Amino acid sequence: MNKNLRVKSSEYIDETNRISFKFNGKTYHGFKGDTLASALLANNVHLVGRSFKYHRPRGIMTSGSEEPNAIVQVNPGTNRTEPNVRATEVEIYEGLEASSQNCWPSVEFDIGGINNFLSPFFPAGFYYKTFMWPASFWKKYEFFIRHSAGLGKSPTSSDPDIYDHRNIHCDVLVVGAGISGVLAAKNAAKNNFKTLLVEEKNELGGSTVYENNEFNKINNKTPSEWLKKEIEELKNIKNLEIKTRTSVAAYHQYNYLLARENLTDHLEAKDKTNKIRQRLLKIRAKKVILATGALERPLIFNNNDRPGIMLSSAIKKYSEFYGVACGSKNVFFTNNDSAYESAISLYNKGINVEAIIDIREQSESKIVKKVKEAGIKIYWSHSIVDTTGYKRLNSISIMKLSNDGTSVTGSKISISCDCLGVAGGWTPAVHLYTQSGSKLKFDEEKKVFLPNQNTSEQISVGSCGGDFKIDEIIKNLNQKLKDTLNINETDLDSIKVEIDQENSKRNIWLLPSDKPLGKTKPFVDYQNDATAKDIKLALREGFRSIEHVKRYTTTGMGTDQGKLGNMHALGIIADTAGVKMGELGTTTFRPPYTPLTFGTIVGRNIGKFFDIFRRTPMNDWHVENKAEFENVGQWKRAWYYPINGETMHQAVQRESKAARESAGILDASTLGKIDIQGSDASEFLNRVYTNAWSKLAIGKCRYGLMLNEDGMVYDDGVTTRLGENHYIMTTTTGGAANVLGKLEDYLQTEWPELDVYLTSVTDHYATASLCGPNSKKILKKIIPDLDLSDENFPHMSFKESKIGNIQCRIMRISFTGEHSYEINVQASYGKDLWEKCIEAGQEFNITPYGTETMHLLRAEKGFIIVGQDTDGTMTPIDLQMDWIVSKKKYDFIGKRSLYRSDTMREDRKQLVGLLTDDPNIVLEEGAQIVSELNQSPVEMLGHVTSSYFSPNLKKSIALAVVRGGKDMMGKKLFVPMENKNINVTVANPVFYDEKNERLNA
Amino acid sequence: MFLINCPYCGERDQQEFKAGGEAHIERPKQPTELSDDEWAEYLFMRKNIKGVQFERWNHAHGCRKWFNMVRDTSNDEIKAIYKMGEKPPAQ
């Protein structure tokens, strides 16, 4: 079996460069330039995989990205392994390993093959119908189904390769470098358009570079000879960038395309290291020229999927381009002249062609005559009714086709063969075209969907635009280029083309067999094992929409997205349902055109670049002092500072006590800071906050609550008046960006008459919050000159001062209820400031505390955290913060909504304190609250929003939202948990220092 | 991915922008004088048209200016872009 099927040297294969590789554990040899598919075929290996559902043996069918069968696992067991790779696209290199998928224990002997014999029990929708009942059994079914399904294995360790993204802006993007693409790119670039030409294969020229039909001539040369010279000239053209091994994955609106450039997949492992493996090109093109070519269609007949059955055009490419004979006894089955070109190609290389089966009655073209002269037997008006050979085709049976093409007659002829080329005509590759939102139209004569209405500046040229013959291609390309590029002449004006003019075709979507359809297996989707029978069943069961039939039968839903069989599926549906194909439409072609790796999609945004973190100027100190960190929005904030192996609870208890008993220090740099200036700044604040601002004196601070227009609390923070027309607003850490956006929105759209300027200064200042009864003494040590008396510097006021030479802004404000100062310096001095405070605080045992202690301290005081105690459904009234809502102001954002019937309901959820009857039980945040335990269904009154054990009160405290809670002071409620019910009592949410005496302590 | 012609910066990729809902919904000058229904009309009711729609957009990762856009939601064709305060083009 392991004979070498190289036929003749090809200029694309370097026979001096022998490469060894492994397939399914066995070592084979190929040459530089081979794909895995061509190298396997050269070694006479056709069987490469098993089909998805029936586990039928499958072979290489195509030579390109449309391959449905030959999908392999590359480099199995390594960290570079990749599943579902098409063998037809893998360029071999020394050391490459690949294996078959979806088979166990091996592709030669696959236990799942039993499904093939059970196939009468697996019709379309089998899984939907069978595993529905009982519903609770689904989990059990799923386990087995998932185990028996699956295409390939994903890698289990992290990807060692580097991926990249690049933005490209160009005047003209040409997709596909066949004859049309090469000529289009050349003419665009020559006319000074910045042009990018991308080609998914490693060579330019498409199928024309091995075009061997001696009856086609361009300027008296064979098309291949002529085109190679054109390609050679591309090198000298300015304005032209060419990217091979680059596949366009997606074509979005406004000519935005994504392409994957493959840089190292064809290299040996040692050459892959430290290089970019794949690059995602994000291309924005002024004009797009699609030259994506056409895909050959198979023919749909009984048992049309055996290894050895290939596309006729693929057989030609393997022989001409790779110098490989796919079989030693070849037969072609066709409905047009393409197969004759392939037959002649083999014949010229001395490869045996047994016969051509043609469903047409005749053809008079020169190439057909040539086949006749070569003595190759042609069976006109015949169709294949069956094939034999389990792991490799060994014979076909043919019968005469009736005039209407719906049945077969006469006696059966059997022909022995090991390779069958099928040629069912050509399907323009319009996938990218439709992705762009453009619309197709069905051409009844050519039986193809063609571009019809473009939504952006684009043209489709060559066979993807419906031109299949070289003369049509050149003529139409020339005109389209002139129109779209707005030029008067091109290179193409003077080209002379001669062609073999015959173009007859007989289209039959589903070829008949002598057996009834129910007893045959005519595969439409090879990868998902959908047959014509399944499609007809779906129609019988009432499915009409093409999209529904697709999903019910899984036709076109494999990794190949049905590139080969979708047209036949449409044809069979149209014929069966008696509708026109044009009316039926197509299923949606979705990106990506060929699968992308996750690496390509994420590019460099992995590891620490996956999500960007913001760190405060004091961050290094927190790290050095072993802080644990918490994510708050994009910020990394110090959470708590454990010492000597403390747990979080122990650390927080210690920090909380220290802050109240002596001194604590918090890094508050992450708070949002917005600088507000302008003659209408006060009026602006009046409109955005619920309370009044006009009378705030310069040098004073005020707490503000900001609502949404729907009356719900949106953000809060302290704003300080720095000057007559100058304020600094602080926002919550997580809300900073949104608050700025909202304020800008109102200023620009609703109140453009206001003279107000907003600048985000969050990153410009570092803030240390010094709190506790000794905070005043510490600040005094740092700034001896500043008068810190309550008369000169009272609570809720501001001083501008200097620490040494460094300017600072100090607010005497408190989020803990303690005497406290927030010191702001230019960000670059943040760490200095922090270290000065720590040093000055040594004698008072100053204790750095993190966000967890901050949360605990403020909860003791009943201060809310927007986003923790509120969730976008809480009004200030619900929070029992009526005191901050001005009754006098005519308007502010959200005011009107506070008087809607819904927001005035008495039984809204309201913020209350909760105390557990057992002071040692700490409630879980999020736990539900009920008043009756024996109710069914039990009515949920609300939930716990904040809960801590308070070291200062020596008991558990919690904040909660409870329906009608405002009037429930002292009421007993329950928090039912999994194993117990916790008794709680509704309390005042201010648990500590209700009279605020400590602020001035 | 749209290519949006910011009236202040020129053509930029959509990822620099943020959509801001229906345009030309003016905040009532005297909210307190509106009935609940009238206020709800302003607060909640937005059109969701298949076809030509007037929208607000913000060049969030650019000049941060708000502007208006006329867009056909059925094919995402941007028919016009104009500054805040300018009159919408006649349909």
Side-chain angles (χ1 to χ4, degrees):
Chain A
M1 278 298 277
N2 201 2
K3 62 182 173 179
N4 195 315
L5 292 176
R6 291 287 166 185
V7 280
K8 194 181 156 196
S9 60
S10 151
E11 62 182 285
Y12 296 100
I13 297 294
D14 179 4
E15 292 197 32
T16 63
N17 194 343
R18 196 158 172 264
I19 287 170
S20 61
F21 64 97
K22 275 188 180 175
F23 182 66
N24 286 336
K26 197 173 161 190
T27 303
Y28 295 94
H29 298 284
F31 298 115
K32 183 89 191 141
D34 264 326
T35 61
L36 179 58
S38 70
L40 286 172
L41 289 169
N43 286 284
N44 202 20
V45 176
H46 272 258
L47 171 62
V48 289
R50 291 275 177 162
S51 67
F52 192 64
K53 190 165 151 192
Y54 302 133
H55 292 251
R56 281 169 71 101
R58 289 281 166 78
I60 296 158
M61 176 110 199
T62 73
S63 59
S65 59
E66 70 272 34
E67 177 61 39
N69 291 341
I71 47 178
V72 297
Q73 180 97 26
V74 174
N75 296 321
T78 70
N79 54 2
R80 282 206 168 91
T81 193
E82 191 178 342
N84 305 335
V85 178
R86 292 153 299 284
T88 50
E89 289 196 302
V90 177
E91 295 174 48
I92 61 165
Y93 51 83
E94 193 61 40
L96 168 73
E97 285 192 39
S99 63
S100 301
Q101 299 184 163
N102 201 36
C103 52
W104 185 83
S106 77
V107 71
E108 294 282 340
F109 177 73
D110 175 19
I111 296 235
I114 190 88
N115 284 6
N116 183 39
F117 303 103
L118 300 174
S119 64
F121 305 106
F122 290 114
F126 170 74
Y127 289 95
Y128 302 133
K129 288 168 182 162
T130 311
F131 298 107
M132 288 289 287
W133 297 280
S136 59
F137 266 50
W138 171 246
K139 279 184 181 163
K140 293 201 172 79
Y141 293 138
E142 192 188 16
F143 177 80
F144 289 103
I145 293 170
R146 295 245 184 261
H147 269 250
S148 60
L151 292 159
K153 291 188 174 64
S154 51
T156 49
S157 53
S158 73
D159 190 332
D161 285 315
I162 305 165
Y163 299 83
D164 199 18
H165 287 182
R166 182 185 155 195
N167 287 299
I168 297 182
H169 297 264
C170 59
D171 295 325
V172 176
L173 169 69
V174 182
V175 184
I179 183 168
S180 311
V182 165
L183 297 178
K186 189 180 175 197
N187 280 286
K190 272 182 153 182
N191 283 284
N192 291 325
F193 291 93
K194 189 185 165 202
T195 304
L196 174 66
L197 172 64
V198 298
E199 165 58 43
E200 68 176 353
K201 300 203 166 60
N202 59 345
E203 296 283 349
L204 304 185
S207 62
T208 312
V209 289
Y210 54 90
E211 180 57 65
N212 59 349
N213 186 336
E214 64 196 86
F215 307 110
N216 292 340
K217 289 268 162 40
I218 302 177
N219 286 350
N220 290 320
K221 290 178 183 159
T222 65
S224 63
E225 198 186 343
W226 182 82
L227 184 61
K228 280 173 197 166
K229 206 164 155 286
E230 292 286 309
I231 292 170
E232 198 54 36
E233 285 174 21
L234 290 182
K235 285 178 193 159
N236 305 320
I237 298 177
K238 285 179 198 161
N239 289 326
L240 177 63
E241 187 178 1
I242 300 172
K243 289 201 172 288
T244 54
R245 299 188 176 102
T246 301
S247 167
V248 173
Y251 186 168
H252 297 293
Q253 298 153 314
Y254 293 84
N255 282 350
Y256 181 68
L257 297 92
L258 299 174
R260 181 209 53 216
E261 183 182 15
N262 219 330
L263 297 158
T264 65
D265 275 1
H266 59 291
L267 301 177
E268 286 179 42
K270 67 180 169 59
D271 297 327
K272 291 185 205 276
T273 324
N274 293 327
K275 285 187 187 144
I276 292 166
R277 179 191 172 201
Q278 291 175 347
R279 186 182 278 136
L280 186 72
L281 306 178
K282 302 172 174 183
I283 308 165
R284 186 73 80 168
K286 293 210 174 83
K287 294 168 198 288
V288 172
I289 298 177
L290 291 174
T292 45
L295 303 174
E296 189 166 44
R297 288 178 197 167
L299 289 163
I300 310 302
F301 53 96
N302 185 23
N303 287 321
N304 58 344
D305 65 326
R306 300 191 188 282
I309 300 180
M310 304 173 71
L311 292 180
S312 145
S313 59
I315 293 176
K316 180 168 140 189
K317 180 161 187 185
Y318 285 117
S319 123
E320 293 285 346
F321 192 89
Y322 298 105
V324 173
C326 294
S328 46
K329 282 193 284 182
N330 295 283
V331 174
F332 288 92
F333 183 26
T334 187
N335 69 1
N336 69 93
D337 278 356
S338 300
Y340 292 80
E341 293 185 359
S342 302
I344 287 297
S345 164
L346 298 193
Y347 174 79
N348 285 344
K349 294 194 171 227
I351 305 166
N352 177 29
V353 179
E354 298 276 319
I356 297 183
I357 323 297
D358 196 323
I359 67 172
R360 296 177 298 177
E361 278 159 22
Q362 56 164 352
S363 169
E364 295 302 324
S365 61
K366 292 177 193 163
I367 189 87
V368 173
K369 280 194 190 119
K370 177 143 186 175
V371 166
K372 284 180 188 161
E373 283 161 21
I376 298 169
K377 171 93 176 136
I378 305 173
Y379 293 90
W380 296 106
S381 292
H382 272 71
S383 180
I384 297 180
V385 294
D386 204 356
T387 66
T388 63
Y390 187 57
K391 292 178 196 167
R392 178 75 185 266
L393 179 70
N394 61 33
S395 82
I396 58 169
S397 340
I398 65 171
M399 286 174 81
K400 183 112 176 112
L401 198 57
S402 66
N403 287 340
D404 65 359
T406 58
S407 60
V408 281
T409 57
S411 55
K412 216 186 272 189
I413 306 167
S414 179
I415 301 170
S416 158
C417 59
D418 61 0
C419 185
L420 172 69
V422 291
W426 296 84
T427 302
V430 292
H431 310 72
L432 293 175
Y433 177 81
T434 59
Q435 281 180 22
S436 74
S438 298
K439 296 277 180 283
L440 298 170
K441 192 178 174 188
F442 190 69
D443 184 320
E444 279 295 340
E445 192 203 334
K446 291 180 178 166
K447 298 284 178 202
V448 290
F449 282 97
L450 292 177
N452 187 38
Q453 268 182 304
N454 301 350
T455 52
S456 62
E457 274 211 64
Q458 57 169 303
I459 50 171
S460 292
V461 300
S463 55
C464 75
D467 300 328
F468 296 105
K469 293 272 171 191
I470 289 179
D471 59 337
E472 290 171 351
I473 291 174
I474 304 268
K475 188 176 128 230
N476 292 333
L477 171 64
N478 194 15
Q479 194 53 51
K480 285 177 180 174
L481 282 177
K482 286 177 178 174
D483 293 345
T484 192
L485 300 178
N486 209 6
I487 52 178
N488 294 324
E489 50 185 50
T490 72
D491 281 3
L492 309 178
D493 290 334
S494 55
I495 290 178
K496 286 196 184 64
V497 182
E498 289 169 42
I499 64 146
D500 185 11
Q501 202 44 269
E502 174 71 24
N503 201 12
S504 77
K505 185 180 171 184
R506 184 184 185 189
N507 203 74
I508 301 174
W509 295 115
L510 171 60
L511 289 156
S513 170
D514 55 331
K515 291 182 196 154
L517 181 65
K519 300 237 187 279
T520 64
K521 284 211 179 66
F523 286 94
V524 174
D525 182 316
Y526 299 84
Q527 196 174 102
N528 274 350
D529 276 347
T531 65
K533 197 162 60 177
D534 295 320
I535 293 173
K536 293 209 172 201
L537 175 70
L539 290 163
R540 268 207 312 281
E541 293 188 352
F543 291 93
R544 285 294 172 269
S545 153
I546 170 74
E547 296 282 0
H548 291 158
V549 174
K550 166 183 163 174
R551 282 158 182 79
Y552 192 59
T553 62
T554 70
T555 304
M557 289 174 70
T559 57
D560 62 332
Q561 300 254 300
K563 290 186 180 74
L564 291 189
N566 269 0
M567 282 300 291
H568 303 88
L570 291 171
I572 291 165
I573 295 168
D575 286 351
T576 310
V579 295
K580 284 191 170 162
M581 282 187 73
E583 293 162 15
L584 203 60
T586 65
T587 52
T588 314
F589 299 113
R590 289 194 176 81
Y593 177 67
T594 49
L596 288 176
T597 60
F598 282 114
T600 313
I601 296 167
V602 298
R604 304 260 177 182
N605 300 325
I606 55 166
K608 63 179 176 176
F609 299 116
F610 177 69
D611 195 10
I612 300 299
F613 289 119
R614 300 171 78 182
R615 296 174 198 278
T616 73
M618 291 79 142
N619 186 71
D620 289 352
W621 192 94
H622 306 321
V623 173
E624 283 158 23
N625 288 275
K626 309 280 186 297
E628 291 292 328
F629 286 85
E630 176 184 33
N631 296 337
V632 183
Q634 286 179 313
W635 290 98
K636 283 274 179 203
R637 293 196 73 175
W639 193 9
Y640 58 97
Y641 300 80
I643 20 183
N644 302 329
E646 280 175 326
T647 61
M648 173 163 139
H649 177 74
Q650 289 165 338
V652 169
Q653 297 290 305
R654 171 181 53 77
E655 291 170 14
S656 306
K657 264 177 95 73
R660 293 224 188 276
E661 285 170 7
S662 177
I665 182 166
L666 171 82
D667 180 357
S669 307
T670 62
L671 285 182
K673 294 175 274 290
I674 301 171
D675 185 271
I676 303 174
Q677 298 190 43
S679 54
D680 294 318
S682 303
E683 169 61 16
F684 180 65
L685 289 173
N686 265 334
R687 296 189 194 184
V688 300
Y689 277 131
T690 59
N691 45 351
W693 290 80
S694 313
K695 289 180 186 156
L696 183 69
I698 294 170
K700 295 286 178 195
C701 314
R702 184 165 287 174
Y703 173 77
L705 203 57
M706 196 181 291
L707 310 185
N708 251 334
E709 205 66 273
D710 61 6
M712 304 305 158
V713 171
Y714 184 71
D715 201 76
D716 68 347
V718 171
T719 296
T720 303
R721 190 166 197 173
L722 301 174
E724 175 62 29
N725 298 321
H726 191 186
Y727 291 84
I728 180 107
M729 171 189 280
T730 57
T731 72
T732 58
T733 296
N738 289 337
V739 169
L740 179 69
K742 180 181 156 102
L743 299 184
E744 285 178 329
D745 186 354
Y746 274 90
L747 265 184
Q748 288 179 36
T749 63
E750 299 293 352
W751 309 320
E753 73 280 4
L754 292 186
D755 175 40
V756 176
Y757 303 88
L758 306 173
T759 311
S760 167
V761 293
T762 305
D763 292 326
H764 304 47
Y765 289 97
T767 310
S769 177
L770 205 52
C771 96
N774 287 320
S775 58
K776 189 172 175 177
K777 293 176 199 155
I778 296 169
L779 186 59
K780 190 76 192 163
K781 281 177 73 179
I782 301 171
I783 315 175
D785 303 341
L786 189 60
D787 178 0
L788 295 180
S789 65
D790 285 346
E791 295 71 42
N792 182 57
F793 196 177
H795 182 57
M796 296 309 271
S797 66
F798 156 83
K799 289 284 176 235
E800 190 120 34
S801 184
K802 275 188 171 177
I803 305 174
N805 292 325
I806 300 158
Q807 201 74 30
C808 64
R809 289 172 171 177
I810 307 169
M811 284 86 165
R812 188 173 159 193
I813 52 180
S814 176
F815 191 43
T816 59
E818 296 298 317
H819 190 123
S820 153
Y821 300 93
E822 281 191 5
I823 312 165
N824 295 273
V825 293
Q826 193 184 311
S828 51
Y829 297 115
K831 199 173 166 223
D832 280 356
L833 166 72
W834 183 268
E835 283 166 346
K836 271 207 164 59
C837 292
I838 296 282
E839 198 191 319
Q842 282 302 329
E843 60 177 293
F844 306 103
N845 187 29
I846 189 168
T847 302
Y849 65 92
T851 49
E852 193 62 23
T853 292
M854 172 187 83
H855 285 186
L856 191 158
L857 295 174
R858 64 86 210 180
E860 288 177 340
K861 288 291 298 170
F863 294 150
I864 59 156
I865 290 187
V866 174
Q868 174 158 347
D869 303 296
T870 73
D871 61 0
T873 66
M874 302 295 287
T875 69
I877 319 300
D878 298 337
L879 293 171
Q880 307 216 48
M881 290 172 76
D882 316 42
W883 53 269
I884 201 172
V885 181
S886 162
K887 305 272 184 306
K888 290 185 193 148
K889 283 200 292 184
Y890 180 70
D891 192 15
F892 55 83
I893 297 172
K895 173 168 174 144
R896 175 61 186 83
S897 290
L898 298 179
Y899 305 96
R900 292 178 57 235
S901 55
D902 184 59
T903 45
M904 294 207 306
R905 277 189 297 116
E906 291 293 319
D907 63 343
R908 289 178 61 84
K909 283 183 185 168
Q910 289 144 357
L911 187 81
V912 294
L914 280 189
L915 289 172
T916 48
D917 291 2
D918 177 347
N920 292 314
I921 296 179
V922 180
L923 296 171
E924 273 187 38
E925 288 174 359
Q928 298 288 321
I929 300 162
V930 303
S931 60
E932 297 287 335
L933 283 171
N934 300 320
Q935 221 178 22
S936 183
V938 62
E939 189 191 1
M940 297 299 177
L941 289 181
H943 65 274
V944 178
T945 60
S946 296
S947 175
Y948 308 89
F949 186 83
S950 161
N952 300 301
L953 296 158
K954 297 189 176 55
K955 64 179 178 187
S956 151
I957 56 166
L959 298 176
V961 291
V962 176
R963 192 172 301 150
K966 218 186 276 190
D967 300 324
M968 284 189 185
M969 280 312 127
K971 192 173 160 73
K972 300 272 181 198
L973 297 173
F974 307 97
V975 175
M977 298 303 289
E978 200 173 357
N979 301 318
K980 61 185 172 197
N981 296 311
I982 303 168
N983 297 341
V984 295
T985 307
V986 179
N988 182 342
V990 184
F991 301 101
Y992 187 76
D993 184 26
E994 212 174 320
K995 292 180 183 152
N996 291 329
E997 285 161 345
R998 302 185 62 85
L999 285 173
N1000 294 316
Chain B
M1 192 83 83
F2 307 167
L3 192 61
I4 297 174
N5 193 5
C6 170
Y8 305 93
C9 307
E11 282 190 337
R12 294 290 191 279
D13 195 282
Q14 185 187 345
Q15 66 183 3
E16 293 185 13
F17 297 85
K18 201 175 89 175
E22 195 182 343
H24 303 297
I25 294 180
E26 206 178 329
R27 188 173 188 273
K29 290 275 178 280
Q30 294 161 324
T32 43
E33 279 153 46
L34 300 183
S35 68
D36 269 11
D37 284 351
E38 287 165 331
W39 180 244
E41 183 69 27
Y42 158 72
L43 200 54
F44 302 122
M45 297 305 175
R46 297 294 182 272
K47 292 193 193 96
N48 186 11
I49 303 167
K50 183 182 179 184
V52 175
Q53 183 157 289
F54 291 74
E55 298 173 334
R56 288 156 24 97
W57 283 74
N58 180 231
H59 195 182
H61 299 282
C63 64
R64 296 193 64 83
K65 285 281 196 185
W66 285 88
F67 56 90
N68 294 309
M69 179 191 290
V70 187
R71 180 173 68 102
D72 187 331
T73 58
S74 66
N75 58 14
D76 284 331
E77 189 192 338
I78 298 171
K79 295 185 171 293
I81 281 176
Y82 51 100
K83 293 179 182 174
M84 279 293 156
E86 288 180 357
K87 279 220 160 62
Q91 279 194 38

